[in-house]
Amino acid sequence: LYVSHNPISDDGMALISEALKHNTSLTELVVVGCGISVKGAISISEVIMGNSSLEKLWIGWSEIGDDGISAIAGALGNSKISELDVHECGITLTGARVLAAALSSNHTIRRLDLCDNPITVEGVLLIVTAAVHNTVCHEVRIDDEYENDEVKMMMNILEERMRRDKQKVAIETGKAANDCHHGNH
């Protein structure tokens, strides 16, 4: 479901979430730039807990902040979400800590976008370290300003994992590794 850049706000997200809580066929929810705050993030967390097929969740350009990412992170435990985009959501070090803890127990998130959040170098290091120990996650997008030598080392581990995963997918599907298409936004 793509409703990006529509002013649905928290009330609209609550209505959408109510309809999607027990949906078993929705695989993508993209609500980028929809005026969602903490209340909307809580509604989204209810969708995550009730929807067994949701794989892609993009919430970027929202004001969910640390409380919103905490609600979402709390719902990730048994989800199938493999792609989480929370760029420019007002997430700070506090939210990064919660998200890092969630990554430690979640084994489906492969891609995480945290760009344009004031999470600090410490927050980035927590997230990237959790992603490395996660073994499934292979891409974490962060702002260049947070990359120090330790973060770069961890990011290199993730990049190597992504190359291995691409090769594994290519071998399993019988395609050459460079034929695999992985879209970016």
Side-chain angles (χ1 to χ4, degrees):
L1 178 62
Y2 291 81
V3 292
S4 292
H5 305 292
N6 285 294
I8 61 173
S9 71
D10 292 334
D11 292 336
M13 193 68 244
L15 293 172
I16 291 170
S17 295
E18 191 60 40
L20 297 177
K21 277 183 191 174
H22 303 290
N23 181 295
T24 58
S25 60
L26 180 75
T27 59
E28 299 180 358
L29 179 58
V30 181
V31 290
V32 174
C34 291
I36 295 169
S37 69
V38 177
K39 184 179 171 187
I42 292 169
S43 295
I44 290 170
S45 72
E46 293 170 0
V47 171
I48 296 169
M49 289 187 283
N51 182 309
S52 60
S53 59
L54 190 62
E55 296 174 4
K56 177 178 172 179
L57 178 59
W58 287 9
I59 315 168
W61 294 339
S62 299
E63 298 295 325
I64 66 170
D66 294 333
D67 291 338
I69 197 62
S70 293
I72 289 167
L76 291 175
N78 294 319
S79 77
K80 290 186 178 179
I81 292 178
S82 61
E83 191 170 321
L84 179 61
D85 183 331
V86 288
H87 72 277
E88 202 169 325
C89 285
I91 300 166
T92 69
L93 175 58
T94 301
R97 284 185 178 121
V98 173
L99 192 53
L103 274 176
S104 297
S105 62
N106 175 284
H107 299 289
T108 59
I109 292 182
R110 299 174 60 82
R111 181 181 180 280
L112 176 62
D113 187 339
L114 286 161
C115 289
D116 300 316
N117 284 294
I119 59 177
T120 73
V121 172
E122 182 183 349
V124 168
L125 193 54
L126 288 169
I127 294 286
V128 174
T129 301
V132 166
H133 292 291
N134 176 291
T135 71
V136 175
C137 189
H138 64 234
E139 183 179 358
V140 176
R141 294 179 48 136
I142 57 167
D143 299 321
D144 291 341
E145 67 189 88
Y146 296 130
E147 285 194 19
N148 63 20
D149 289 342
E150 197 171 4
V151 170
K152 286 179 184 177
M153 181 184 72
M154 299 301 243
M155 293 295 274
N156 287 337
I157 293 170
L158 292 177
E159 288 172 10
E160 179 57 31
R161 182 182 298 157
M162 184 168 56
R163 279 192 288 281
R164 270 195 325 264
D165 287 352
K166 282 182 182 180
Q167 289 172 347
K168 183 179 177 184
V169 168
I171 291 167
E172 288 173 357
T173 61
K175 296 181 179 180
N178 59 1
D179 289 342
C180 293
H181 174 71
H182 297 276
N184 294 318
H185 72 300

